[in-house]
Amino acid sequence: MTHAISATGLTKAFGRSRALDGLDLTVATGEVHGLLGPNGAGKSTTIRVLLGLLRADAGQVQVLGGDPWRDAVALHRRLAYVPGDVNLWPNLTGGEAVDLFGDLRGGLDPARRKELEERFQLDPTKRCRTYSKGNRQKVALVAAFSSDVELFILDEPTSGLDPLMEAAFQQTVREVTAKGATVLLSSHIFSEVEALCSRVSIIREGVTVESGTLSELRHLTRTTITVEAGEPLTGLDGLPGVHDLEADTTRARFDVDATALPAVLAHLATFDVRALTSQPPTLEELFMRHYGKEPAPAEVSR
Amino acid sequence: MSAYAGTGRLVRLAARRDRIQLPIWILASAAMMSAGTSAVASEFPTEESRITALQGAGSSPAVLVMRGVPVGSDLGALVNFRNLASILVVVALMSTFAVVRHTRQNEENGRAELIGAGAVGRHAPLTAALVLVFAANVLFGAAMTGTILAGGLAAEGALAFGAACTVTGLAFAGIAGIAAQLFQGARAANGFAASAVGVFYLIRGIGDALGERSADGLTVTPSWLSWLSPLGWGALVRPYGQERWWALALPLALFAVCVAVAFALVDRRDLGAGLIPDRPGPAHASRGLRSPLGLAWRLNKGSTIGWVVGGAVFGLGIGSLGKTVKDALGTNAGVVEMMEGLAGGGGPDLVSIFFAAMMNTYGALAAGFVIQALLRLRSEEVGGTAEAVLSTAVGRVRWVGAHVACAVVGAAVMLALAGAFTGLADAASGGDVGVLTLAGAGLAQLPAALVVAGVVVLAFGGLPRLVVGAAWGMLVLSIACGLLGDLFGLPQIVRDLSPFTHVPAIPAVDLSATPLLALTAVAVALTAAGMALFRRRDLAT
Ligand SMILES: Nc1ncnc2c1ncn2[C@@H]1O[C@H](COP(=O)(O)OP(=O)(O)OP(=O)(O)O)[C@@H](O)[C@H]1O
Ligand SMILES: [Mg+2]
């Protein structure tokens, strides 16, 4: 499998503060890759490096097989970018901005543009200065998705959209990936990432702390099990990998490490089990684990 | 919540934001003033030398346009004559930019919305801006008075000089307050208020040039036209020339009226909007817009048309003075000699010499236009739209090049038209210098303006965060060293630093291509260096 984006050991400092501190990111061609991380983690900085708007201090980076700093113009013909803060010219109308971005990128498909305008309910005759944040984002989204490009780089593209528009966005992403495009999606909306992304990278303080498919990531954390049996359940509290056990005689609820799951299931099989539910961790739980409790490696080393 | 709630907090915030910028305006003006004061004292130590200088200068309309009117022959009067007109422009610009910065520009950046949410009254932002600018003007006036006193001159005149600066600054703060409510962008508001400074300078200049000379040639009484210009009022206070104190009331009254109107406008419009409502626009971009060049032109169109029209009006004003010059000077042999010296050689008629001297002013105007057009590069970068464009298939050089092209073409059209309209007005009043000749003379200033453009691009590439100061500073220095170099008595080597010094004084002398080509080459080199630096750096906000 080829890589649409591969970056290793990216560092970028702004004065004395390090925005990126050895970040790695690999995005395979054709996948929707989620980029997660708390505020200030370095997501937008990473994306600007990928676009050749910033030059990394160190590290290797390749986008669509080229160097984003050196080959910026040629690469930009093949990708579309939606920034987190969409800034437009106050005197242009939304429609003018859509056409302009399309043409600067190398042309857009008018039929597709019309379809997306309707889907996102964008009024293209309004001046950009009168648009709300969400409407400015729609302008950028319509412009980006009307172009026939290989790679979409989206930096929190839906942070201002209402739930209906969120659904329209997800539908649009599915359409472009069905045609083989690659998407890098930075987002704070878990449901969106869970619905769209085949792989995610979690970054924190400029380093990648976790990267993989959602199931791989789930593997690294605990599953919640609820069990009900026809006889008293015993011996659970002694098993390795079992946490936060709440039990009365025939019912139990506990978390179990993914690695300990087979042993625990084997143990449960010795009882007369009547009902069992297992709940994989939500992305949010995964995320909280990485954001919240444990200090990031960078902090430890400081 | 009262309409003025939170004003105090906003004043502190604004003062903090301006803690470097406003002191620089004030200190630089004080330094200019200090140099101007001591230069007068050392160059014209005797009454006799001053009388000779005044009799020459007072009879030259070009000098009256640029410097204002002389009010007497003592040392203080000469300090006034040499400095007041330009210092008043500086204080007017300082106040204008500061008011727009703390009102309209805050709104554009969304800062005002944040402030507004934090329990701040509707009138608070404008009030805070005016309070800050009021304080800055008082300090400005005090600094001028102090500087003159330090030069050992009488207190009464020093006080009048400082007060004239303060009230003139306030008048323009009021004008800017209205502009900030009427226009939808900070740049448009700044552009309007700065054009007001230019137009009032011109009115004052023409009014002074049409003024009446006293029999001894030591004073000139401005014509009624000068009374129509707020920039003229400061001079009508006449520091060191039997001070006319009540004239201080004129700018103050204008300030009061403007502030009242501005607050009435605040009550009438929504945050972020202008007074003129938006109508739906085209749903599709026209063919002309769909390229970096088309975009740059669209963004610059409004202000370019404004500057071109302004240049043409300025040309009409200057051109209409041709006949006056002829009448005033034709009889005075000493002055003829002096003017010929100024134009670098004898022979041509006086009107040509006058127009040649004015062409440098057109060049400075064109440089001002070019600077404000190219500073858009920086405002697009800070505003995030540069990021949007540069993440498409538009290279950095192409993007900068599009803006440079718009600035250059705009400046060329402006200069040619300003020159042509000078010729038209001259012909209308019976002159015969020629429309084409003067259009060419205006155009000959273009290479000097291009050098200024080159410096802006270089600073944008190399020192983006300082580019605004560097650009306007360059213009002020070029004007001080070049246009006013001989009035200030600067040594030739300093005057040579200004691009305007190298432009041949057409129509008084023949066109010579070498200096123009050399200036163009310097401009191209500076621009190329700036582009190369920009290609190498991060986009920075
Ligand atoms: N131009 C800049 N100058 C100085 N510091 C910067 C600049 N851009 C980013 N930073 C810093 O780099 C760090 C990473 O910022 P970045 O914008 O990449 O975060 P992010 O992950 O996108 O956050 P968010 O979720 O809030 O969008 C932050 O600490 C930020 O303050
Ligand atoms: Mg971000």
Side-chain angles (χ1 to χ4, degrees):
Chain A
M1 188 157 39
T2 55
H3 296 313
I5 295 173
S6 74
T8 44
L10 286 188
T11 61
K12 178 77 197 173
F14 294 106
R16 299 229 309 281
S17 80
R18 288 195 145 215
L20 301 182
D21 201 0
L23 180 129
D24 302 319
L25 177 68
T26 310
V27 177
T29 303
E31 76 179 4
V32 182
H33 194 104
L35 197 55
L36 299 171
N39 294 133
K43 302 178 296 293
S44 300
T45 306
T46 305
I47 285 175
R48 291 202 174 99
V49 169
L50 297 176
L51 290 165
L53 299 169
L54 298 179
R55 173 137 65 171
D57 299 333
Q60 275 82 49
V61 55
Q62 280 219 326
V63 174
L64 300 174
D67 175 344
W69 183 263
R70 234 193 26 237
D71 314 325
V73 173
L75 291 180
H76 292 171
R77 245 183 267 286
R78 299 162 59 197
L79 62 82
Y81 165 54
V82 175
D85 256 330
V86 178
N87 294 295
L88 302 167
W89 300 273
N91 291 325
L92 265 62
T93 62
E96 285 179 318
V98 169
D99 279 343
L100 179 65
F101 285 130
D103 279 7
L104 294 182
R105 205 173 274 131
L108 49 70
D109 173 356
R112 176 77 171 152
R113 180 200 136 144
K114 196 161 160 27
E115 181 191 346
L116 288 174
E117 253 168 32
E118 272 157 29
R119 182 183 298 169
F120 284 105
Q121 293 167 18
L122 175 71
D123 176 355
T125 63
K126 278 184 146 181
R127 303 275 168 197
C128 291
R129 82 169 75 79
T130 65
Y131 280 133
S132 63
K133 174 178 163 67
N135 279 322
R136 288 202 303 273
Q137 250 162 351
K138 290 181 193 171
V139 170
L141 286 169
V142 170
F145 287 117
S146 305
S147 326
D148 182 22
V149 293
E150 297 159 51
L151 172 64
F152 293 88
I153 297 184
L154 315 173
D155 191 357
E156 297 184 39
T158 60
S159 55
L161 297 189
D162 64 42
L164 267 174
M165 291 304 125
E166 171 70 41
F169 168 75
Q170 294 191 12
Q171 180 193 350
T172 313
V173 169
R174 289 202 186 90
E175 285 168 4
V176 297
T177 44
K179 285 195 277 178
T182 309
V183 178
L184 176 64
L185 170 66
S186 133
S187 178
H188 286 301
I189 303 172
F190 301 115
S191 58
E192 174 182 287
V193 174
E194 278 189 305
L196 291 173
C197 296
S198 37
R199 293 205 313 141
V200 302
S201 292
I202 297 180
I203 69 174
R204 183 176 168 176
E205 301 197 349
V207 235
T208 316
V209 288
E210 220 56 88
S211 185
T213 62
L214 280 175
S215 57
E216 278 167 359
L217 290 191
R218 287 198 174 109
H219 205 67
L220 296 171
T221 186
R222 294 164 191 169
T223 302
T224 305
I225 303 241
T226 317
V227 56
E228 200 182 330
E231 56 187 309
L233 291 162
T234 52
L236 277 172
D237 49 353
L239 283 180
V242 172
H243 307 268
D244 303 332
L245 177 66
E246 298 162 30
D248 58 25
T249 45
T250 58
R251 267 186 284 196
R253 182 193 155 88
F254 55 89
D255 293 344
V256 56
D257 289 338
T259 44
L261 203 52
V264 170
L265 288 181
H267 178 76
L268 286 177
T270 62
F271 299 94
D272 173 25
V273 173
R274 301 234 167 111
L276 181 132
T277 54
S278 108
Q279 220 169 25
T282 61
L283 183 60
E284 186 165 352
E285 280 163 333
L286 274 175
F287 197 68
M288 289 307 193
R289 237 176 73 118
H290 289 291
Y291 279 21
K293 290 174 194 143
E294 296 155 29
E299 263 174 18
V300 175
S301 64
R302 251 175 229 158
Chain B
M1 192 174 77
S2 129
Y4 296 92
T7 304
R9 206 145 32 93
L10 290 189
V11 172
R12 282 194 297 279
L13 202 72
R16 211 187 118 64
R17 247 186 99 199
D18 276 0
R19 68 191 182 283
I20 300 186
Q21 192 167 357
L22 284 177
I24 285 183
W25 279 93
I26 295 173
L27 291 177
S29 307
M32 211 166 118
M33 196 58 215
S34 171
T37 308
S38 55
V40 169
S42 64
E43 260 175 74
F44 307 105
T46 64
E47 178 92 21
E48 203 181 20
S49 63
R50 293 195 288 271
I51 290 177
T52 319
L54 280 174
Q55 282 174 337
S59 60
S60 156
V63 172
L64 295 178
V65 169
M66 293 214 277
R67 309 265 72 192
V69 293
V71 295
S73 65
D74 64 11
L75 210 51
L78 210 62
V79 166
N80 164 351
F81 178 47
R82 170 167 278 187
N83 298 294
L84 187 58
S86 40
I87 290 284
L88 290 179
V89 172
V90 174
V91 75
L93 289 177
M94 175 187 85
S95 308
T96 300
F97 291 150
V99 168
V100 174
R101 184 162 62 243
H102 293 294
T103 51
R104 179 48 75 176
Q105 197 179 333
N106 264 354
E107 276 183 39
E108 254 173 39
N109 298 343
R111 231 173 310 197
E113 244 170 281
L114 286 177
I115 298 169
V120 165
R122 191 172 178 78
H123 288 174
L126 179 59
T127 312
L130 291 173
V131 167
L132 180 78
V133 174
F134 187 88
N137 276 300
V138 170
L139 287 176
F140 192 102
M144 293 305 119
T145 302
T147 310
I148 299 173
L149 286 178
L153 293 169
E156 199 183 1
L159 207 59
F161 194 109
C165 292
T166 301
V167 295
T168 304
L170 288 177
F172 281 90
I175 294 174
I178 293 183
Q181 307 310 316
L182 284 180
F183 290 90
Q184 280 176 335
R187 289 166 45 86
N190 266 333
F192 172 81
S195 334
V197 174
V199 168
F200 287 135
Y201 188 82
L202 179 70
I203 294 178
R204 199 273 307 139
I206 294 176
D208 288 355
L210 295 175
E212 198 173 317
R213 281 181 82 197
S214 65
D216 58 6
L218 298 184
T219 61
V220 173
T221 311
S223 74
W224 59 272
L225 207 54
S226 298
W227 286 90
L228 298 183
S229 163
L231 271 180
W233 296 341
L236 293 168
V237 174
R238 277 202 317 235
Y240 293 106
Q242 291 125 37
E243 286 80 1
R244 189 193 274 132
W245 292 100
W246 64 263
L248 290 172
L250 293 174
L252 284 177
L254 180 64
F255 175 65
V257 171
C258 286
V259 167
V261 172
F263 277 119
L265 293 175
V266 169
D267 287 333
R268 219 160 281 218
R269 74 180 182 91
D270 295 328
L271 198 63
L275 272 177
I276 304 128
D278 285 303
R279 274 169 296 131
H284 288 273
S286 63
R287 285 246 66 81
L289 176 61
R290 298 173 177 227
S291 67
L293 191 63
L295 175 63
W297 167 240
R298 171 71 177 267
L299 297 176
N300 281 308
K301 188 165 74 180
S303 67
T304 305
I305 292 173
W307 281 83
V308 167
V309 170
V313 171
F314 199 87
L316 280 177
I318 297 297
S320 65
L321 286 178
K323 180 144 186 309
T324 317
V325 173
K326 206 178 227 158
D327 296 348
L329 299 188
T331 50
N332 187 334
V335 173
V336 171
E337 210 167 284
M338 190 198 87
M339 289 290 282
E340 283 175 351
L342 210 104
D349 66 302
L350 291 167
V351 180
S352 294
I353 294 171
F354 167 71
F355 285 141
M358 291 327 292
M359 286 303 147
N360 262 334
T361 322
Y362 298 4
L365 269 183
F369 161 72
V370 163
I371 287 175
Q372 82 113 53
L374 289 179
L375 284 180
R376 185 174 275 284
L377 289 168
R378 181 63 186 154
S379 64
E380 294 274 294
E381 184 182 9
V382 174
T385 39
E387 177 175 304
V389 170
L390 293 173
S391 64
T392 68
V394 175
R396 295 192 181 193
V397 169
R398 192 164 160 225
W399 179 68
V400 174
H403 282 269
V404 171
C406 283
V408 172
V409 172
V413 172
M414 175 185 163
L415 283 168
L417 282 186
F421 274 86
T422 310
L424 285 175
D426 179 52
S429 61
D432 57 359
V433 181
V435 173
L436 282 182
T437 310
L438 284 170
L443 215 44
Q445 297 288 333
L446 183 64
L450 295 189
V451 170
V452 175
V455 171
V456 180
V457 177
L458 182 69
F460 173 69
L463 302 164
R465 290 199 171 82
L466 303 179
V467 63
V468 177
W472 293 113
M474 160 81 183
L475 181 63
V476 170
L477 278 182
S478 302
I479 292 175
C481 298
L483 270 62
L484 308 178
D486 51 31
L487 291 168
F488 281 149
L490 295 175
Q492 188 63 37
I493 187 157
V494 176
R495 289 162 58 183
D496 281 346
L497 290 177
S498 166
F500 299 107
T501 308
H502 305 281
V503 179
I506 310 172
V509 303
D510 287 339
L511 172 71
S512 54
T514 319
L516 297 182
L517 290 176
L519 284 171
T520 308
V522 170
V524 169
L526 288 168
T527 307
M531 285 176 167
L533 286 172
F534 179 56
R535 276 184 64 177
R536 238 153 280 235
R537 73 167 170 86
D538 290 343
L539 281 201
T541 49

